[in-house]
Amino acid sequence: MSNKMWGGRFETGPAAIMEEINASIGFDQRLYAQDIAGSKAHATMLATQGIIEASDAEKIVAGLDTILSEIEAGSFTFQRALEDIHMNVESRLAGLIGSPAGRLHTARSRNDQVATDFRLYVRDTIDTLDIQLADLQRALAEKALAHAATVMPGFTHLQTAQPVTFGHHLMAYVEMLGRDRGRFTDARARLNECPLGAAALAGTSFPIDRFATAKALGFDCPTANSLDSVSDRDFVLETLSSAAICAMHLSRFAEEVVIWTSPLVALLKLSDRFTTGSSIMPQKRNPDAAELVRAKIGRIAGAFSGLLMVMKGLALAYAKDMQEDKEGAFDALSTLSLMIAATAGMVRDAVPDKAKMKAAAGSGYSTATDLADWLVRVLGLPFREAHHVTGRIVALASGKGVALHKLTLAEMQEIEPRITQEVFGVLSVAKSVASRVSYGGTAPKNVRAQAKRWLKQLG
C-alpha cells in the first residue's frame, strides 16, 4: 500500500512509532486560523496571476471558509495520520470541493507555509499580549495614584534602606512593563515579513506575486531570501526572549507579594479571590496566585533555551528538527498571558496596610540619609564627613534601642555640636519622601505626575 501523502516514492506507510514521533497535529492545530488565512491569500494570488482558474480559486476559498467554520464549531475531525494542520486542512478541502483542492499547493511548500503560519500566530499573540500588558500597567498606575503618598520602606539587599511610597514602588513596574512592551513591539516589527512563496527553499518558477500575498496577510513585505525564509526561527526566539524578560519582571513582583502578605511582614492583604487555604491548617491564607506567577518563568525561559538549542546546529535550509519550534512557544506564550492576567487581578485586589507600612518605613534608621543630607545642606559638611557623623549618631541610637527622632538634641550635639532643633524636621518618614523631588524620585507629587502621565498615555 503506497503512502498517499508522499505519492509514488513510498511503497508503504510509516511505522507506528514513526507516525508517533512525526505527527504534530496534536499541537499545531492551533494554527488553523492562520493556515486558512494564508491558503486563501495564496489561492487568490494564484488566480490573479493566471496560474489557476478563477473558478477553482473561488471554490478553494469557499471550502476553506467552510473548514474554518467547522473547526470553530468543534465539528472538524483532526486526523493524526495526516501529520499536521496543513495536510488536515488540505485533505478536508479535497473532500469538500474535489479536484480543485489539489491546485492550492501550486507554487508553495509546507516549508514556507508553516513559516508563514507561525509568523502570523506569533504576531497575533504579541498583539494580544500588548493589550494585556497595557491593562496591567493601567492597574498598577491607578493603584499608584491612589497610594502616591502611602509611605512604605524601600529596600536594598532586602534590608530597610530609605522611605519610599507604595505608589512609587508600583510605578517602577509600570516602567519595566513599558520596556517589555517595547521589546515585543520591536520583535513584531522584525517578524512582519512574509515567507509565503519561498516554497521549499529555492523559490518557484511560477509567476507568483509575493508582494500581493504579503499585503493580503498584513505583512510589510515579503522576505528577501528564500533560504532564510524557511530556515530561521529567530522571530520566535526574539519573542520568547522578550517573554522571558517580561516573566522575570512579573516573577519579581510576585515574590514581593509573597513577602508582603506573610503574617510576619503583613504590609499587604489579598482577598479570597487570589489566595487558597490549607487542607490541614484552617488558619492559612496562602498567596498561591503569586507563587505560581513567580514559578512559571521557568517554563518560559526553558522554552527559549530549548528552541535555541534546537536551532544552534542546523545547516540551511529546513530540517524536521524545526517542528520542535512550536510546542514550547505555544506553552510559553500562553503561560505569559496567564501570568499577566493573574498579576493584574492581584494588583487590583491588593490592599496595603498603611499603618504597618508607615511604621516599617521608619524602622532600621531609614532616615539616616536624610540626616546626612541635612548636615551637608545646613551645616556645610562634606558628604563623607556627614556620613561619618550620621553613622555615629545611628550607633548611639542603636545602642540606646531608640529611633533617630527619639534621641535628644543634646545627645546628638555630643557628636556634632552644631546640630540644631531643625534637624528633627527631616527625621520623619513623611518629610523624607516629600523631600525626594528630583525627577524620578519618590515624592508624592512626582508619583502623581508619573501615574497621571501613564494613565493618559494608556488611554
Side-chain angles (χ1 to χ4, degrees), residues 151-155 160-165 168 358 361-363 365-368 370 427-430 432-434 436 442:
V151 177
M152 68 170 287
F155 302 96
T160 302
Q162 291 178 276
V164 296
T165 71
H168 189 59
K358 186 174 182 180
S363 67
Y365 306 103
S366 64
T367 57
D370 297 274
L427 298 182
S428 73
V429 293
S432 174
V433 297
R436 306 294 173 181
T442 191

mmCIF file with all atom_site columns, all heavy atoms in Angstrom, residues 151-155 160-165 168 358 361-363 365-368 370 427-430 432-434 436 442:
data_model
loop_
_atom_site.group_PDB
_atom_site.id
_atom_site.type_symbol
_atom_site.label_atom_id
_atom_site.label_alt_id
_atom_site.label_comp_id
_atom_site.label_asym_id
_atom_site.label_entity_id
_atom_site.label_seq_id
_atom_site.pdbx_PDB_ins_code
_atom_site.Cartn_x
_atom_site.Cartn_y
_atom_site.Cartn_z
_atom_site.occupancy
_atom_site.B_iso_or_equiv
_atom_site.pdbx_formal_charge
_atom_site.auth_seq_id
_atom_site.auth_comp_id
_atom_site.auth_asym_id
_atom_site.auth_atom_id
_atom_site.pdbx_PDB_model_num
ATOM 1   N N   . VAL A 1 151 ? 3.300  55.864 52.640 1.00 0.00 ? 151 VAL A N   1
ATOM 2   C CA  . VAL A 1 151 ? 4.719  55.632 52.920 1.00 0.00 ? 151 VAL A CA  1
ATOM 3   C C   . VAL A 1 151 ? 4.968  54.157 53.215 1.00 0.00 ? 151 VAL A C   1
ATOM 4   O O   . VAL A 1 151 ? 4.189  53.498 53.910 1.00 0.00 ? 151 VAL A O   1
ATOM 5   C CB  . VAL A 1 151 ? 5.178  56.495 54.110 1.00 0.00 ? 151 VAL A CB  1
ATOM 6   C CG1 . VAL A 1 151 ? 6.635  56.205 54.452 1.00 0.00 ? 151 VAL A CG1 1
ATOM 7   C CG2 . VAL A 1 151 ? 4.984  57.968 53.802 1.00 0.00 ? 151 VAL A CG2 1
ATOM 8   N N   . MET A 1 152 ? 6.052  53.652 52.665 1.00 0.00 ? 152 MET A N   1
ATOM 9   C CA  . MET A 1 152 ? 6.463  52.271 52.930 1.00 0.00 ? 152 MET A CA  1
ATOM 10  C C   . MET A 1 152 ? 7.993  52.221 52.942 1.00 0.00 ? 152 MET A C   1
ATOM 11  O O   . MET A 1 152 ? 8.648  53.159 52.481 1.00 0.00 ? 152 MET A O   1
ATOM 12  C CB  . MET A 1 152 ? 5.908  51.313 51.869 1.00 0.00 ? 152 MET A CB  1
ATOM 13  C CG  . MET A 1 152 ? 6.515  51.499 50.486 1.00 0.00 ? 152 MET A CG  1
ATOM 14  S SD  . MET A 1 152 ? 6.070  50.182 49.329 1.00 0.00 ? 152 MET A SD  1
ATOM 15  C CE  . MET A 1 152 ? 7.057  48.821 49.965 1.00 0.00 ? 152 MET A CE  1
ATOM 16  N N   . PRO A 1 153 ? 8.575  51.150 53.453 1.00 0.00 ? 153 PRO A N   1
ATOM 17  C CA  . PRO A 1 153 ? 10.036 51.053 53.401 1.00 0.00 ? 153 PRO A CA  1
ATOM 18  C C   . PRO A 1 153 ? 10.519 50.733 51.991 1.00 0.00 ? 153 PRO A C   1
ATOM 19  O O   . PRO A 1 153 ? 9.921  49.922 51.283 1.00 0.00 ? 153 PRO A O   1
ATOM 20  C CB  . PRO A 1 153 ? 10.350 49.904 54.366 1.00 0.00 ? 153 PRO A CB  1
ATOM 21  C CG  . PRO A 1 153 ? 9.109  49.082 54.407 1.00 0.00 ? 153 PRO A CG  1
ATOM 22  C CD  . PRO A 1 153 ? 7.965  50.031 54.205 1.00 0.00 ? 153 PRO A CD  1
ATOM 23  N N   . GLY A 1 154 ? 11.596 51.393 51.591 1.00 0.00 ? 154 GLY A N   1
ATOM 24  C CA  . GLY A 1 154 ? 12.303 50.997 50.387 1.00 0.00 ? 154 GLY A CA  1
ATOM 25  C C   . GLY A 1 154 ? 13.463 50.113 50.793 1.00 0.00 ? 154 GLY A C   1
ATOM 26  O O   . GLY A 1 154 ? 14.030 50.293 51.878 1.00 0.00 ? 154 GLY A O   1
ATOM 27  N N   . PHE A 1 155 ? 13.820 49.155 49.968 1.00 0.00 ? 155 PHE A N   1
ATOM 28  C CA  . PHE A 1 155 ? 14.806 48.154 50.365 1.00 0.00 ? 155 PHE A CA  1
ATOM 29  C C   . PHE A 1 155 ? 16.007 48.124 49.426 1.00 0.00 ? 155 PHE A C   1
ATOM 30  O O   . PHE A 1 155 ? 15.889 48.358 48.229 1.00 0.00 ? 155 PHE A O   1
ATOM 31  C CB  . PHE A 1 155 ? 14.177 46.754 50.360 1.00 0.00 ? 155 PHE A CB  1
ATOM 32  C CG  . PHE A 1 155 ? 12.983 46.605 51.252 1.00 0.00 ? 155 PHE A CG  1
ATOM 33  C CD1 . PHE A 1 155 ? 11.696 46.738 50.741 1.00 0.00 ? 155 PHE A CD1 1
ATOM 34  C CD2 . PHE A 1 155 ? 13.127 46.329 52.605 1.00 0.00 ? 155 PHE A CD2 1
ATOM 35  C CE1 . PHE A 1 155 ? 10.589 46.590 51.555 1.00 0.00 ? 155 PHE A CE1 1
ATOM 36  C CE2 . PHE A 1 155 ? 12.024 46.183 53.431 1.00 0.00 ? 155 PHE A CE2 1
ATOM 37  C CZ  . PHE A 1 155 ? 10.753 46.317 52.910 1.00 0.00 ? 155 PHE A CZ  1
ATOM 38  N N   . THR A 1 160 ? 15.794 47.370 55.134 1.00 0.00 ? 160 THR A N   1
ATOM 39  C CA  . THR A 1 160 ? 15.216 48.709 55.071 1.00 0.00 ? 160 THR A CA  1
ATOM 40  C C   . THR A 1 160 ? 16.308 49.716 54.728 1.00 0.00 ? 160 THR A C   1
ATOM 41  O O   . THR A 1 160 ? 17.353 49.774 55.377 1.00 0.00 ? 160 THR A O   1
ATOM 42  C CB  . THR A 1 160 ? 14.567 49.088 56.410 1.00 0.00 ? 160 THR A CB  1
ATOM 43  O OG1 . THR A 1 160 ? 13.559 48.116 56.720 1.00 0.00 ? 160 THR A OG1 1
ATOM 44  C CG2 . THR A 1 160 ? 13.938 50.455 56.333 1.00 0.00 ? 160 THR A CG2 1
ATOM 45  N N   . ALA A 1 161 ? 16.063 50.508 53.700 1.00 0.00 ? 161 ALA A N   1
ATOM 46  C CA  . ALA A 1 161 ? 17.070 51.455 53.213 1.00 0.00 ? 161 ALA A CA  1
ATOM 47  C C   . ALA A 1 161 ? 16.615 52.898 53.410 1.00 0.00 ? 161 ALA A C   1
ATOM 48  O O   . ALA A 1 161 ? 17.131 53.623 54.256 1.00 0.00 ? 161 ALA A O   1
ATOM 49  C CB  . ALA A 1 161 ? 17.359 51.190 51.744 1.00 0.00 ? 161 ALA A CB  1
ATOM 50  N N   . GLN A 1 162 ? 15.619 53.319 52.627 1.00 0.00 ? 162 GLN A N   1
ATOM 51  C CA  . GLN A 1 162 ? 15.064 54.657 52.753 1.00 0.00 ? 162 GLN A CA  1
ATOM 52  C C   . GLN A 1 162 ? 13.555 54.587 52.558 1.00 0.00 ? 162 GLN A C   1
ATOM 53  O O   . GLN A 1 162 ? 13.056 53.702 51.856 1.00 0.00 ? 162 GLN A O   1
ATOM 54  C CB  . GLN A 1 162 ? 15.653 55.599 51.695 1.00 0.00 ? 162 GLN A CB  1
ATOM 55  C CG  . GLN A 1 162 ? 17.125 55.929 51.894 1.00 0.00 ? 162 GLN A CG  1
ATOM 56  C CD  . GLN A 1 162 ? 17.637 56.830 50.772 1.00 0.00 ? 162 GLN A CD  1
ATOM 57  O OE1 . GLN A 1 162 ? 18.011 56.370 49.715 1.00 0.00 ? 162 GLN A OE1 1
ATOM 58  N NE2 . GLN A 1 162 ? 17.643 58.125 51.035 1.00 0.00 ? 162 GLN A NE2 1
ATOM 59  N N   . PRO A 1 163 ? 12.821 55.507 53.146 1.00 0.00 ? 163 PRO A N   1
ATOM 60  C CA  . PRO A 1 163 ? 11.372 55.505 52.920 1.00 0.00 ? 163 PRO A CA  1
ATOM 61  C C   . PRO A 1 163 ? 11.047 55.845 51.468 1.00 0.00 ? 163 PRO A C   1
ATOM 62  O O   . PRO A 1 163 ? 11.687 56.708 50.864 1.00 0.00 ? 163 PRO A O   1
ATOM 63  C CB  . PRO A 1 163 ? 10.851 56.594 53.866 1.00 0.00 ? 163 PRO A CB  1
ATOM 64  C CG  . PRO A 1 163 ? 11.946 56.839 54.839 1.00 0.00 ? 163 PRO A CG  1
ATOM 65  C CD  . PRO A 1 163 ? 13.216 56.566 54.107 1.00 0.00 ? 163 PRO A CD  1
ATOM 66  N N   . VAL A 1 164 ? 10.083 55.156 50.925 1.00 0.00 ? 164 VAL A N   1
ATOM 67  C CA  . VAL A 1 164 ? 9.513  55.488 49.615 1.00 0.00 ? 164 VAL A CA  1
ATOM 68  C C   . VAL A 1 164 ? 7.993  55.469 49.783 1.00 0.00 ? 164 VAL A C   1
ATOM 69  O O   . VAL A 1 164 ? 7.495  55.338 50.899 1.00 0.00 ? 164 VAL A O   1
ATOM 70  C CB  . VAL A 1 164 ? 9.964  54.485 48.533 1.00 0.00 ? 164 VAL A CB  1
ATOM 71  C CG1 . VAL A 1 164 ? 11.470 54.555 48.311 1.00 0.00 ? 164 VAL A CG1 1
ATOM 72  C CG2 . VAL A 1 164 ? 9.547  53.053 48.878 1.00 0.00 ? 164 VAL A CG2 1
ATOM 73  N N   . THR A 1 165 ? 7.278  55.584 48.698 1.00 0.00 ? 165 THR A N   1
ATOM 74  C CA  . THR A 1 165 ? 5.829  55.417 48.783 1.00 0.00 ? 165 THR A CA  1
ATOM 75  C C   . THR A 1 165 ? 5.426  54.165 48.027 1.00 0.00 ? 165 THR A C   1
ATOM 76  O O   . THR A 1 165 ? 6.118  53.713 47.105 1.00 0.00 ? 165 THR A O   1
ATOM 77  C CB  . THR A 1 165 ? 5.057  56.630 48.212 1.00 0.00 ? 165 THR A CB  1
ATOM 78  O OG1 . THR A 1 165 ? 5.197  56.645 46.789 1.00 0.00 ? 165 THR A OG1 1
ATOM 79  C CG2 . THR A 1 165 ? 5.560  57.929 48.817 1.00 0.00 ? 165 THR A CG2 1
ATOM 80  N N   . HIS A 1 168 ? 5.111  54.839 44.420 1.00 0.00 ? 168 HIS A N   1
ATOM 81  C CA  . HIS A 1 168 ? 6.392  54.900 43.723 1.00 0.00 ? 168 HIS A CA  1
ATOM 82  C C   . HIS A 1 168 ? 6.886  53.492 43.404 1.00 0.00 ? 168 HIS A C   1
ATOM 83  O O   . HIS A 1 168 ? 7.407  53.236 42.304 1.00 0.00 ? 168 HIS A O   1
ATOM 84  C CB  . HIS A 1 168 ? 7.412  55.639 44.597 1.00 0.00 ? 168 HIS A CB  1
ATOM 85  C CG  . HIS A 1 168 ? 8.703  55.947 43.915 1.00 0.00 ? 168 HIS A CG  1
ATOM 86  N ND1 . HIS A 1 168 ? 8.785  56.713 42.777 1.00 0.00 ? 168 HIS A ND1 1
ATOM 87  C CD2 . HIS A 1 168 ? 9.984  55.599 44.216 1.00 0.00 ? 168 HIS A CD2 1
ATOM 88  C CE1 . HIS A 1 168 ? 10.047 56.832 42.404 1.00 0.00 ? 168 HIS A CE1 1
ATOM 89  N NE2 . HIS A 1 168 ? 10.795 56.147 43.255 1.00 0.00 ? 168 HIS A NE2 1
ATOM 90  N N   . LYS A 1 358 ? 3.808  52.432 57.159 1.00 0.00 ? 358 LYS A N   1
ATOM 91  C CA  . LYS A 1 358 ? 4.460  53.639 57.688 1.00 0.00 ? 358 LYS A CA  1
ATOM 92  C C   . LYS A 1 358 ? 5.386  53.297 58.841 1.00 0.00 ? 358 LYS A C   1
ATOM 93  O O   . LYS A 1 358 ? 6.513  53.822 58.932 1.00 0.00 ? 358 LYS A O   1
ATOM 94  C CB  . LYS A 1 358 ? 3.402  54.647 58.137 1.00 0.00 ? 358 LYS A CB  1
ATOM 95  C CG  . LYS A 1 358 ? 3.979  55.982 58.570 1.00 0.00 ? 358 LYS A CG  1
ATOM 96  C CD  . LYS A 1 358 ? 2.878  56.986 58.877 1.00 0.00 ? 358 LYS A CD  1
ATOM 97  C CE  . LYS A 1 358 ? 3.477  58.343 59.265 1.00 0.00 ? 358 LYS A CE  1
ATOM 98  N NZ  . LYS A 1 358 ? 2.414  59.335 59.564 1.00 0.00 ? 358 LYS A NZ  1
ATOM 99  N N   . ALA A 1 361 ? 8.420  51.684 57.498 1.00 0.00 ? 361 ALA A N   1
ATOM 100 C CA  . ALA A 1 361 ? 9.264  52.646 56.788 1.00 0.00 ? 361 ALA A CA  1
ATOM 101 C C   . ALA A 1 361 ? 10.181 53.393 57.731 1.00 0.00 ? 361 ALA A C   1
ATOM 102 O O   . ALA A 1 361 ? 11.275 53.829 57.341 1.00 0.00 ? 361 ALA A O   1
ATOM 103 C CB  . ALA A 1 361 ? 8.390  53.632 56.018 1.00 0.00 ? 361 ALA A CB  1
ATOM 104 N N   . GLY A 1 362 ? 9.770  53.545 58.971 1.00 0.00 ? 362 GLY A N   1
ATOM 105 C CA  . GLY A 1 362 ? 10.580 54.274 59.936 1.00 0.00 ? 362 GLY A CA  1
ATOM 106 C C   . GLY A 1 362 ? 11.547 53.406 60.698 1.00 0.00 ? 362 GLY A C   1
ATOM 107 O O   . GLY A 1 362 ? 12.370 53.917 61.472 1.00 0.00 ? 362 GLY A O   1
ATOM 108 N N   . SER A 1 363 ? 11.471 52.099 60.483 1.00 0.00 ? 363 SER A N   1
ATOM 109 C CA  . SER A 1 363 ? 12.371 51.199 61.209 1.00 0.00 ? 363 SER A CA  1
ATOM 110 C C   . SER A 1 363 ? 13.732 51.127 60.518 1.00 0.00 ? 363 SER A C   1
ATOM 111 O O   . SER A 1 363 ? 13.892 51.546 59.379 1.00 0.00 ? 363 SER A O   1
ATOM 112 C CB  . SER A 1 363 ? 11.767 49.794 61.272 1.00 0.00 ? 363 SER A CB  1
ATOM 113 O OG  . SER A 1 363 ? 11.711 49.214 59.976 1.00 0.00 ? 363 SER A OG  1
ATOM 114 N N   . TYR A 1 365 ? 16.386 52.774 60.996 1.00 0.00 ? 365 TYR A N   1
ATOM 115 C CA  . TYR A 1 365 ? 17.073 54.061 60.806 1.00 0.00 ? 365 TYR A CA  1
ATOM 116 C C   . TYR A 1 365 ? 17.057 54.486 59.327 1.00 0.00 ? 365 TYR A C   1
ATOM 117 O O   . TYR A 1 365 ? 18.055 54.911 58.759 1.00 0.00 ? 365 TYR A O   1
ATOM 118 C CB  . TYR A 1 365 ? 18.510 53.986 61.357 1.00 0.00 ? 365 TYR A CB  1
ATOM 119 C CG  . TYR A 1 365 ? 18.528 53.520 62.783 1.00 0.00 ? 365 TYR A CG  1
ATOM 120 C CD1 . TYR A 1 365 ? 18.879 52.220 63.114 1.00 0.00 ? 365 TYR A CD1 1
ATOM 121 C CD2 . TYR A 1 365 ? 18.132 54.378 63.809 1.00 0.00 ? 365 TYR A CD2 1
ATOM 122 C CE1 . TYR A 1 365 ? 18.845 51.784 64.431 1.00 0.00 ? 365 TYR A CE1 1
ATOM 123 C CE2 . TYR A 1 365 ? 18.097 53.952 65.145 1.00 0.00 ? 365 TYR A CE2 1
ATOM 124 C CZ  . TYR A 1 365 ? 18.449 52.655 65.448 1.00 0.00 ? 365 TYR A CZ  1
ATOM 125 O OH  . TYR A 1 365 ? 18.397 52.223 66.746 1.00 0.00 ? 365 TYR A OH  1
ATOM 126 N N   . SER A 1 366 ? 15.880 54.369 58.728 1.00 0.00 ? 366 SER A N   1
ATOM 127 C CA  . SER A 1 366 ? 15.751 54.611 57.291 1.00 0.00 ? 366 SER A CA  1
ATOM 128 C C   . SER A 1 366 ? 15.920 56.074 56.902 1.00 0.00 ? 366 SER A C   1
ATOM 129 O O   . SER A 1 366 ? 16.106 56.384 55.726 1.00 0.00 ? 366 SER A O   1
ATOM 130 C CB  . SER A 1 366 ? 14.374 54.109 56.806 1.00 0.00 ? 366 SER A CB  1
ATOM 131 O OG  . SER A 1 366 ? 13.327 54.861 57.408 1.00 0.00 ? 366 SER A OG  1
ATOM 132 N N   . THR A 1 367 ? 15.837 56.996 57.899 1.00 0.00 ? 367 THR A N   1
ATOM 133 C CA  . THR A 1 367 ? 16.024 58.410 57.560 1.00 0.00 ? 367 THR A CA  1
ATOM 134 C C   . THR A 1 367 ? 17.457 58.877 57.815 1.00 0.00 ? 367 THR A C   1
ATOM 135 O O   . THR A 1 367 ? 17.729 60.080 57.840 1.00 0.00 ? 367 THR A O   1
ATOM 136 C CB  . THR A 1 367 ? 15.040 59.296 58.357 1.00 0.00 ? 367 THR A CB  1
ATOM 137 O OG1 . THR A 1 367 ? 15.235 59.068 59.756 1.00 0.00 ? 367 THR A OG1 1
ATOM 138 C CG2 . THR A 1 367 ? 13.604 58.998 57.971 1.00 0.00 ? 367 THR A CG2 1
ATOM 139 N N   . ALA A 1 368 ? 18.372 57.930 57.974 1.00 0.00 ? 368 ALA A N   1
ATOM 140 C CA  . ALA A 1 368 ? 19.770 58.289 58.215 1.00 0.00 ? 368 ALA A CA  1
ATOM 141 C C   . ALA A 1 368 ? 20.345 59.107 57.068 1.00 0.00 ? 368 ALA A C   1
ATOM 142 O O   . ALA A 1 368 ? 21.112 60.058 57.283 1.00 0.00 ? 368 ALA A O   1
ATOM 143 C CB  . ALA A 1 368 ? 20.608 57.029 58.438 1.00 0.00 ? 368 ALA A CB  1
ATOM 144 N N   . ASP A 1 370 ? 18.711 61.106 55.194 1.00 0.00 ? 370 ASP A N   1
ATOM 145 C CA  . ASP A 1 370 ? 18.152 62.455 55.311 1.00 0.00 ? 370 ASP A CA  1
ATOM 146 C C   . ASP A 1 370 ? 18.945 63.278 56.327 1.00 0.00 ? 370 ASP A C   1
ATOM 147 O O   . ASP A 1 370 ? 19.179 64.479 56.124 1.00 0.00 ? 370 ASP A O   1
ATOM 148 C CB  . ASP A 1 370 ? 16.678 62.375 55.725 1.00 0.00 ? 370 ASP A CB  1
ATOM 149 C CG  . ASP A 1 370 ? 15.835 61.665 54.683 1.00 0.00 ? 370 ASP A CG  1
ATOM 150 O OD1 . ASP A 1 370 ? 15.381 62.329 53.746 1.00 0.00 ? 370 ASP A OD1 1
ATOM 151 O OD2 . ASP A 1 370 ? 15.669 60.438 54.811 1.00 0.00 ? 370 ASP A OD2 1
ATOM 152 N N   . LEU A 1 427 ? 13.687 64.030 60.065 1.00 0.00 ? 427 LEU A N   1
ATOM 153 C CA  . LEU A 1 427 ? 13.806 62.664 60.555 1.00 0.00 ? 427 LEU A CA  1
ATOM 154 C C   . LEU A 1 427 ? 12.512 61.866 60.478 1.00 0.00 ? 427 LEU A C   1
ATOM 155 O O   . LEU A 1 427 ? 12.506 60.667 60.782 1.00 0.00 ? 427 LEU A O   1
ATOM 156 C CB  . LEU A 1 427 ? 14.338 62.665 61.998 1.00 0.00 ? 427 LEU A CB  1
ATOM 157 C CG  . LEU A 1 427 ? 15.739 63.258 62.182 1.00 0.00 ? 427 LEU A CG  1
ATOM 158 C CD1 . LEU A 1 427 ? 16.172 63.154 63.632 1.00 0.00 ? 427 LEU A CD1 1
ATOM 159 C CD2 . LEU A 1 427 ? 16.746 62.572 61.273 1.00 0.00 ? 427 LEU A CD2 1
ATOM 160 N N   . SER A 1 428 ? 11.404 62.472 60.054 1.00 0.00 ? 428 SER A N   1
ATOM 161 C CA  . SER A 1 428 ? 10.153 61.734 59.883 1.00 0.00 ? 428 SER A CA  1
ATOM 162 C C   . SER A 1 428 ? 10.099 61.155 58.472 1.00 0.00 ? 428 SER A C   1
ATOM 163 O O   . SER A 1 428 ? 10.624 61.738 57.520 1.00 0.00 ? 428 SER A O   1
ATOM 164 C CB  . SER A 1 428 ? 8.947  62.649 60.101 1.00 0.00 ? 428 SER A CB  1
ATOM 165 O OG  . SER A 1 428 ? 8.779  63.541 59.015 1.00 0.00 ? 428 SER A OG  1
ATOM 166 N N   . VAL A 1 429 ? 9.457  60.013 58.343 1.00 0.00 ? 429 VAL A N   1
ATOM 167 C CA  . VAL A 1 429 ? 9.403  59.361 57.039 1.00 0.00 ? 429 VAL A CA  1
ATOM 168 C C   . VAL A 1 429 ? 8.584  60.174 56.040 1.00 0.00 ? 429 VAL A C   1
ATOM 169 O O   . VAL A 1 429 ? 8.887  60.198 54.844 1.00 0.00 ? 429 VAL A O   1
ATOM 170 C CB  . VAL A 1 429 ? 8.850  57.927 57.159 1.00 0.00 ? 429 VAL A CB  1
ATOM 171 C CG1 . VAL A 1 429 ? 9.815  57.035 57.923 1.00 0.00 ? 429 VAL A CG1 1
ATOM 172 C CG2 . VAL A 1 429 ? 7.473  57.906 57.810 1.00 0.00 ? 429 VAL A CG2 1
ATOM 173 N N   . ALA A 1 430 ? 7.539  60.834 56.512 1.00 0.00 ? 430 ALA A N   1
ATOM 174 C CA  . ALA A 1 430 ? 6.702  61.627 55.608 1.00 0.00 ? 430 ALA A CA  1
ATOM 175 C C   . ALA A 1 430 ? 7.500  62.760 54.979 1.00 0.00 ? 430 ALA A C   1
ATOM 176 O O   . ALA A 1 430 ? 7.427  63.008 53.766 1.00 0.00 ? 430 ALA A O   1
ATOM 177 C CB  . ALA A 1 430 ? 5.490  62.164 56.354 1.00 0.00 ? 430 ALA A CB  1
ATOM 178 N N   . SER A 1 432 ? 10.697 62.836 54.729 1.00 0.00 ? 432 SER A N   1
ATOM 179 C CA  . SER A 1 432 ? 11.752 62.232 53.926 1.00 0.00 ? 432 SER A CA  1
ATOM 180 C C   . SER A 1 432 ? 11.277 61.998 52.492 1.00 0.00 ? 432 SER A C   1
ATOM 181 O O   . SER A 1 432 ? 11.938 62.404 51.531 1.00 0.00 ? 432 SER A O   1
ATOM 182 C CB  . SER A 1 432 ? 12.204 60.909 54.538 1.00 0.00 ? 432 SER A CB  1
ATOM 183 O OG  . SER A 1 432 ? 13.126 60.246 53.702 1.00 0.00 ? 432 SER A OG  1
ATOM 184 N N   . VAL A 1 433 ? 10.122 61.339 52.350 1.00 0.00 ? 433 VAL A N   1
ATOM 185 C CA  . VAL A 1 433 ? 9.648  61.060 50.993 1.00 0.00 ? 433 VAL A CA  1
ATOM 186 C C   . VAL A 1 433 ? 9.245  62.343 50.278 1.00 0.00 ? 433 VAL A C   1
ATOM 187 O O   . VAL A 1 433 ? 9.445  62.482 49.067 1.00 0.00 ? 433 VAL A O   1
ATOM 188 C CB  . VAL A 1 433 ? 8.476  60.043 50.986 1.00 0.00 ? 433 VAL A CB  1
ATOM 189 C CG1 . VAL A 1 433 ? 8.928  58.699 51.521 1.00 0.00 ? 433 VAL A CG1 1
ATOM 190 C CG2 . VAL A 1 433 ? 7.275  60.551 51.760 1.00 0.00 ? 433 VAL A CG2 1
ATOM 191 N N   . ALA A 1 434 ? 8.696  63.293 51.002 1.00 0.00 ? 434 ALA A N   1
ATOM 192 C CA  . ALA A 1 434 ? 8.284  64.555 50.378 1.00 0.00 ? 434 ALA A CA  1
ATOM 193 C C   . ALA A 1 434 ? 9.471  65.334 49.835 1.00 0.00 ? 434 ALA A C   1
ATOM 194 O O   . ALA A 1 434 ? 9.344  66.106 48.884 1.00 0.00 ? 434 ALA A O   1
ATOM 195 C CB  . ALA A 1 434 ? 7.504  65.405 51.378 1.00 0.00 ? 434 ALA A CB  1
ATOM 196 N N   . ARG A 1 436 ? 12.096 64.079 48.347 1.00 0.00 ? 436 ARG A N   1
ATOM 197 C CA  . ARG A 1 436 ? 12.749 63.436 47.194 1.00 0.00 ? 436 ARG A CA  1
ATOM 198 C C   . ARG A 1 436 ? 12.101 63.891 45.896 1.00 0.00 ? 436 ARG A C   1
ATOM 199 O O   . ARG A 1 436 ? 11.424 63.146 45.193 1.00 0.00 ? 436 ARG A O   1
ATOM 200 C CB  . ARG A 1 436 ? 12.673 61.919 47.331 1.00 0.00 ? 436 ARG A CB  1
ATOM 201 C CG  . ARG A 1 436 ? 13.214 61.373 48.648 1.00 0.00 ? 436 ARG A CG  1
ATOM 202 C CD  . ARG A 1 436 ? 14.701 61.594 48.775 1.00 0.00 ? 436 ARG A CD  1
ATOM 203 N NE  . ARG A 1 436 ? 15.183 61.209 50.100 1.00 0.00 ? 436 ARG A NE  1
ATOM 204 C CZ  . ARG A 1 436 ? 16.437 61.313 50.478 1.00 0.00 ? 436 ARG A CZ  1
ATOM 205 N NH1 . ARG A 1 436 ? 17.348 61.776 49.649 1.00 0.00 ? 436 ARG A NH1 1
ATOM 206 N NH2 . ARG A 1 436 ? 16.794 60.981 51.706 1.00 0.00 ? 436 ARG A NH2 1
ATOM 207 N N   . THR A 1 442 ? 10.766 59.736 44.741 1.00 0.00 ? 442 THR A N   1
ATOM 208 C CA  . THR A 1 442 ? 9.574  59.155 45.361 1.00 0.00 ? 442 THR A CA  1
ATOM 209 C C   . THR A 1 442 ? 8.600  60.177 45.933 1.00 0.00 ? 442 THR A C   1
ATOM 210 O O   . THR A 1 442 ? 7.577  59.792 46.501 1.00 0.00 ? 442 THR A O   1
ATOM 211 C CB  . THR A 1 442 ? 9.990  58.177 46.475 1.00 0.00 ? 442 THR A CB  1
ATOM 212 O OG1 . THR A 1 442 ? 8.845  57.432 46.908 1.00 0.00 ? 442 THR A OG1 1
ATOM 213 C CG2 . THR A 1 442 ? 10.578 58.922 47.675 1.00 0.00 ? 442 THR A CG2 1
#
